[in-house]
Amino acid sequence: MGLRKTWRKIVHTRWFPAAVLAVIVCLVLAIFTGASGRDSVISRTLGNVLLPAERGITHAAVGVADKYNKFFHYDEMAAENEQLKQQIADLTSQLEKAQSAVTENEELKEMLGVAERNTEFTYEAAQVVGRMLDEWSSVLTIDAGSAEGLEKNDCVVTASGMVGYISDLSEHSAQVTTVIDSDMSAGALVSRTGALGVAEGDYQLMSDGKLKVSYLSKDADVVVGDTVRTSGTGGVFPKGLAIGTVESVQTESDGMSNYAVLVPMVDITSLTNVYIITETATTSE
């Protein structure tokens, strides 16, 4: 039994087929050389004749050995390949999770700084779990609702600025109408000059991820790059929340007033974490 196992191991080695063919070639050459004399004309002639054959056989032996090796080791190589693919997938997943954790940690730090500077607000954290962003609406779904203390019209923010407001909710989820949605409307002021207007969504601008500030007087001091914040008028949104920056200033079609096109402070399409202002200690102006 031991001899049989040893023989099987030898047969399944990579070099076995090539060795067998090499032995056959050597035997053929030895027979012809021995029969004809070492230095005979026949020996030399046969050597010259058999040389191309020898080379061909050697090349074929290598090819056979390679195919033999691939055949008997295919399953092993396939399994190793699948293992490597799985390792790459696992590493990619770990990297994505690490990057997500770093981003979330940075957002939390920024929001903590905002909360420390605005002690009159009470915040509830939530994650974005759905988006409805098209030419007719811009609404997010978050994983917090009435059970977490949220109410309709609560303002939704990030450390960068205003996201929108709670327009509908259930026990553990809520719909957030964003600042670019056509249903959005909030009193606004230009931080640099105090010029007043109304920040509102617009169908034509929504597809570009923008909104506008309407009802600016013709002589209002508003320039590109100005920051626009909530004014606190209307009693819905707290005063001082950053809405966006002015991209351009246009004249209304009636020629009586101007409006400013705003780029939101927050990129609605990439939001993952938001914060809801559930309470405020100050009265709206």
Side-chain angles (χ1 to χ4, degrees), residues 10-228:
I10 293 173
V11 169
H12 285 84
T13 57
R14 299 182 179 183
W15 48 264
F16 182 76
V20 171
L21 289 173
V23 168
I24 293 172
V25 171
C26 291
L27 287 174
V28 171
L29 291 177
I31 291 170
F32 277 103
T33 301
S36 306
R38 183 160 187 168
D39 297 322
S40 66
V41 174
I42 296 176
S43 175
R44 289 194 296 272
T45 302
L46 286 174
N48 292 331
V49 171
L50 291 175
L51 182 59
E54 182 182 357
R55 290 174 179 171
I57 293 172
T58 302
H59 179 74
V62 172
V64 170
D66 183 60
K67 291 181 180 179
Y68 178 90
N69 182 53
K70 288 181 179 178
F71 177 79
F72 280 98
H73 295 276
Y74 176 80
D75 291 341
E76 179 183 340
M77 290 187 294
E80 183 178 358
N81 187 44
E82 288 301 319
Q83 185 178 10
L84 289 173
K85 286 182 179 179
Q86 186 59 49
Q87 289 177 356
I88 292 172
D90 291 342
L91 289 173
T92 301
S93 176
Q94 291 175 17
L95 179 60
E96 290 175 349
K97 289 180 180 179
Q99 290 174 335
S100 177
V102 169
T103 300
E104 184 175 354
N105 187 49
E106 290 176 351
E107 291 176 351
L108 289 171
K109 285 183 178 179
E110 290 179 3
M111 197 61 207
L112 179 60
V114 172
E116 290 175 346
R117 294 192 301 272
N118 297 275
T119 56
E120 69 272 21
F121 297 150
T122 299
Y123 298 96
E124 178 68 32
Q127 288 190 326
V128 176
V129 295
R131 307 175 198 273
M132 186 168 62
L133 309 176
D134 53 40
E135 60 182 328
W136 304 110
S137 62
S138 177
V139 178
L140 305 177
T141 302
I142 58 175
D143 64 352
S146 58
E148 288 72 35
L150 275 57
E151 297 179 355
K152 272 193 174 184
N153 295 326
D154 279 349
C155 194
V156 182
V157 299
T158 69
S160 299
M162 185 174 171
V163 175
Y165 66 95
I166 301 294
S167 53
D168 195 12
L169 77 167
S170 59
E171 188 175 7
H172 293 292
S173 67
Q175 303 297 308
V176 179
T177 296
T178 74
V179 292
I180 65 173
D181 190 276
S182 58
D183 287 338
M184 161 68 186
S185 179
L189 62 82
V190 179
S191 297
R192 184 177 59 85
T193 64
L196 295 172
V198 177
E200 57 186 359
D202 181 88
Y203 280 120
Q204 293 181 337
L205 295 173
M206 186 166 53
S207 59
D208 294 327
K210 301 172 185 176
L211 68 157
K212 68 179 183 178
V213 177
S214 302
Y215 309 112
L216 293 171
S217 63
K218 289 282 289 183
D219 59 352
D221 184 6
V222 182
V223 298
V224 173
D226 276 344
T227 299
V228 175

